[in-house]
Structure formats: C-alpha cells, structure tokens
Amino acid sequence: MTQHQSTQTMKPATAAKKLGVYLEATPAEFREGVVSRAELNALQADPPQWLRDLRRDGPHPRPVVAAKLGVSISGLARAGLTEPLTTEQIEALKQERPEWLERERATQAEVRKEAARLKQRDRENAESAENGD
C-alpha cells in the first residue's frame, strides 16, 4: 500500500505571519493564492526582492513593530498605535523617545526580569526535587 502525501498549504495571512511581514503590503499574487510549506521554506531560504524590501523598510506588522521598539503589542495598543509602521517611522519614534515609549519599555523590562526570576526559581525547584531535598 502506498501512501499519497498531500501538500501542506496555508493561507497567505499565516504565511505572512511566519515571514514577519504585513500581509496587505505583499504582492497581489501572494495575497490571492495559497502557500505550500515548500514555497514558504523557499521564501525563507532565498527571499525575493519584494520580501527583502518589506523586511527592511516595512510597513511592519504589530509584532515586528513592538519588537523593534522593545515594547509589548499591548503597549502599542495603549499608546494608540494600531496601524503598521515603516522602519522610518519606528526609527523616528526611537529618536523622539516619547514618554509612552519610555514607560512601555520600562514595563517590558520588568516583565522580562520577572520571567527570568520565575524561570530561575523553577530551575532551582527542579534541581532540589532531583536531589531529593
């Protein structure tokens, strides 16, 4: 008995998310089709010019904007930034250093610090349990 393997495909929105690009800025042929796992891998391994341009210049989706600014997606929403931003707009915000950005960066730093503390605590508890303490 031979198994017939079907090609795994995904919606363009899913592929754009995996590629870290804003779907609406991608070419029409990308938005209107389906993307196979092999096509996604090819795009990641050897990005075409449009993908390189989008990754460099934007507009960027919120997760990418948040990462580039060092804040959470929720922090962007609290600041009223719901639209995609270009690299130029992100750099301008970094230069301007508005109060909300400094506050959200501090919040994000505290979240990371707490996550690291909890991870260390869990690691110590696991070691303690292994040693029979």
Side-chain angles (χ1 to χ4, degrees), residues 67-121:
K68 286 180 178 276
L69 289 174
V71 300
S72 67
I73 295 172
S74 298
L76 290 178
R78 284 190 289 273
L81 292 176
T82 57
E83 297 298 314
L85 298 179
T86 64
T87 300
E88 188 176 316
Q89 291 169 315
I90 292 168
E91 291 304 317
L93 281 171
K94 286 180 176 179
Q95 294 299 315
E96 292 167 16
R97 297 175 69 113
E99 187 271 331
W100 70 263
L101 180 57
E102 296 301 312
R103 183 179 61 248
E104 292 299 337
R105 282 180 167 174
T107 299
Q108 190 70 358
E110 286 299 315
V111 168
R112 286 190 194 107
K113 187 172 156 184
E114 179 65 5
R117 185 189 70 77
L118 292 174
K119 187 174 181 179
Q120 179 64 30
R121 182 201 66 190

Side-chain angles (χ1 to χ4, degrees), residues 52-64:
R52 290 195 302 269
D53 292 346
L54 271 180
R55 285 177 168 169
R56 184 186 61 240
D57 302 326
H60 302 288
R62 285 180 302 160
V64 174

Side-chain angles (χ1 to χ4, degrees), residues 19 21 27 29-30 39-56:
L19 292 169
V21 295
E29 61 268 12
F30 180 85
E39 289 168 332
L40 178 68
N41 291 341
L43 287 170
Q44 290 173 324
D46 185 24
Q49 189 62 47
W50 66 264
L51 182 53
R52 290 195 302 269
D53 292 346
L54 271 180
R55 285 177 168 169
R56 184 186 61 240

